[in-house]
Amino acid sequence: MTSGAAGFHQGSGWDTRYHSPALATEVVALLGGSALVLDGTLGGGGHTAALLDHGVGRVIGVDRDPDALAAASERLAEAMANGRFSPYRGNYAAIDTIPALAGLRFNGILLDLGISSHQIDDAARGFSFREGAPLDMRMGSDAMQSAAELLDDASEDELTRIFREYGDEPRAARLAREIVRRRQSRPFESSDDLVGAIRGAFGPRTGPPEFARLFQAVRIAVNDELTGLARALPMLRDRLAPGGTFAVIAYHSGEDRMVKHAFREWSTDCICPPRHPMCTCGGNHATGELLTRRATVASADEIARNPRARSAKLRAWRAK
Ligand SMILES: C[S@@+](CC[C@H](N)C(=O)[O-])C[C@H]1O[C@@H](n2cnc3c(N)ncnc32)[C@H](O)[C@@H]1O
């Protein structure tokens, strides 16, 4: 196995304490055997290790987070030494700015969106609603502001939009108003301040499921995740070699919707509005083929082993 000794625990062969890759077997079925794969969300290198173990010639790994690059580089040191793995720090939504990747075309591209278990577990990173954690949430130094700065500076309208669009929160305006009211007397600094505002807006019985959803909304805003994904999808599609496969695992409904619509649109010849009586677009617009009519989800066994896989949705598309 490529995956070295970086602390395996029971589970799929590619789990480490850093992170357990979701749907690894399904990702291998889609991308295994490819000559060159871009893993745009390298994390602890679990998916990359699985791909290198299944006939992928070379993997280029990209992550915004230096911790992820360090963990994956240690784990995949042997593959790195023999030229089968090359890590780069960067944003998958801006791979054109990584000079070493200029002009490369990939036979497979993987995005496993969101954050890793390591990022959640490291209290100093401020991704969790655990008591007393700093409100940071930046995945890398390319994120413009911390969660605390965002909560202290964003307008009430912007906060409402963030909680409504990224957190599916129907009472978003009430929470935004509560945040603006509280920050007038004291700036937001720790997880307790945001938990306090959520409880202040929605009542003392509000608990972990709401905190998780609303903290995630702030994280998505801090890291520009949805707009980054929207920018990245067509750009990465254009970096696929003919016949190359694009696979995306999403954990958030907004991200999954975006991927679903993009893959469908790229697989459709006629792009006229749905109830248009006849085709006026000229047809023949499909640039590839949808490989997953419905999203692939984790089995009950995988969810029992890795609860984070519960919300994972994998979709794939193949270029012509
Ligand atoms: C779910 S984890 C990936 C785990 C990985 N597949 C594995 O098996 O270990 C997501 C990773 O993507 C990174 N990430 C998220 N958004 C990114 C972006 N726009 N560009 C580069 N990396 C990103 C995060 O820092 C995190 O390490």
Side-chain angles (χ1 to χ4, degrees):
M1 277 212 153
T2 319
S3 339
F8 284 116
H9 59 73
Q10 205 181 359
S12 93
W14 304 290
D15 292 0
T16 62
R17 274 188 281 276
Y18 193 96
H19 187 78
S20 301
L23 298 165
T25 308
E26 292 78 359
V27 166
V28 162
L30 286 162
L31 302 179
S34 305
L36 178 64
V37 168
L38 171 70
D39 181 348
T41 51
L42 178 65
H47 285 116
T48 286
L51 292 171
L52 290 169
D53 285 342
H54 285 86
V56 167
R58 184 175 172 221
V59 178
I60 305 266
V62 170
D63 206 291
R64 292 168 94 160
D65 182 351
D67 283 4
L69 294 170
S73 301
E74 187 187 336
R75 172 186 196 170
L76 300 165
E78 198 183 312
M80 219 163 122
N82 62 31
R84 294 186 64 214
F85 169 62
S86 316
Y88 293 93
R89 181 164 173 190
N91 189 323
Y92 68 68
I95 60 155
D96 289 347
T97 62
I98 304 176
L101 308 188
L104 283 185
R105 296 247 162 190
F106 303 98
N107 309 101
I109 295 179
L110 172 66
L111 296 181
D112 177 24
L113 301 171
I115 49 175
S116 63
S117 307
H118 171 81
Q119 287 166 320
I120 299 172
D121 293 344
D122 182 353
R125 303 293 299 268
F127 285 107
S128 82
F129 52 84
R130 199 180 298 135
E131 248 174 76
L135 273 174
D136 191 318
M137 303 197 194
R138 282 175 286 203
M139 285 186 194
S141 53
D142 59 327
M144 302 298 277
Q145 52 178 183
S146 69
E149 287 162 347
L150 178 117
L151 292 167
D152 284 327
D153 297 342
S155 68
E156 192 172 320
D157 283 352
E158 178 61 2
L159 290 169
T160 303
R161 186 189 70 76
I162 288 168
F163 292 117
R164 183 177 298 131
E165 283 181 23
Y166 304 160
D168 287 331
E169 177 51 64
R171 299 163 299 171
R174 194 192 299 178
L175 177 55
R177 205 174 317 123
E178 181 68 12
I179 288 170
V180 169
R181 189 183 70 75
R182 286 181 176 232
R183 75 189 185 191
Q184 276 156 8
S185 46
R186 210 169 70 85
F188 276 70
E189 279 167 3
S190 84
S191 53
D192 307 339
D193 299 327
L194 183 52
V195 164
I198 296 169
R199 286 213 161 114
F202 303 145
R205 292 165 68 119
T206 317
E210 287 83 15
F211 302 151
R213 183 166 46 81
L214 297 165
F215 270 63
Q216 176 178 254
V218 174
R219 187 203 86 207
I220 287 174
V222 164
N223 294 291
D224 194 26
E225 292 176 50
L226 276 171
T227 38
L229 180 63
R231 241 186 359 262
L233 287 172
M235 202 179 70
L236 292 175
R237 173 201 58 195
D238 295 345
R239 297 293 291 266
L240 279 172
T245 297
F246 196 170
V248 184
I249 304 174
Y251 301 82
H252 177 268
S253 58
E255 287 175 337
D256 180 55
R257 216 174 301 126
M258 200 179 274
V259 175
K260 178 169 88 176
H261 288 152
F263 284 3
R264 272 202 193 146
E265 187 191 320
W266 306 344
S267 312
T268 307
D269 272 330
C270 172
I271 53 169
C272 292
R275 274 186 275 282
H276 219 57
M278 56 188 262
C279 173
T280 52
C281 74
N284 207 21
H285 288 280
T287 48
E289 176 196 359
L290 193 59
L291 300 179
T292 46
R293 297 246 145 250
R294 283 167 184 272
T296 303
V297 295
S299 66
D301 274 0
E302 178 171 0
I303 294 169
R305 182 172 53 72
N306 176 15
R308 191 176 176 276
R310 183 179 290 118
S311 52
K313 290 195 167 161
L314 167 66
R315 297 184 188 272
W317 179 86
R318 184 164 53 217
K320 271 186 184 166

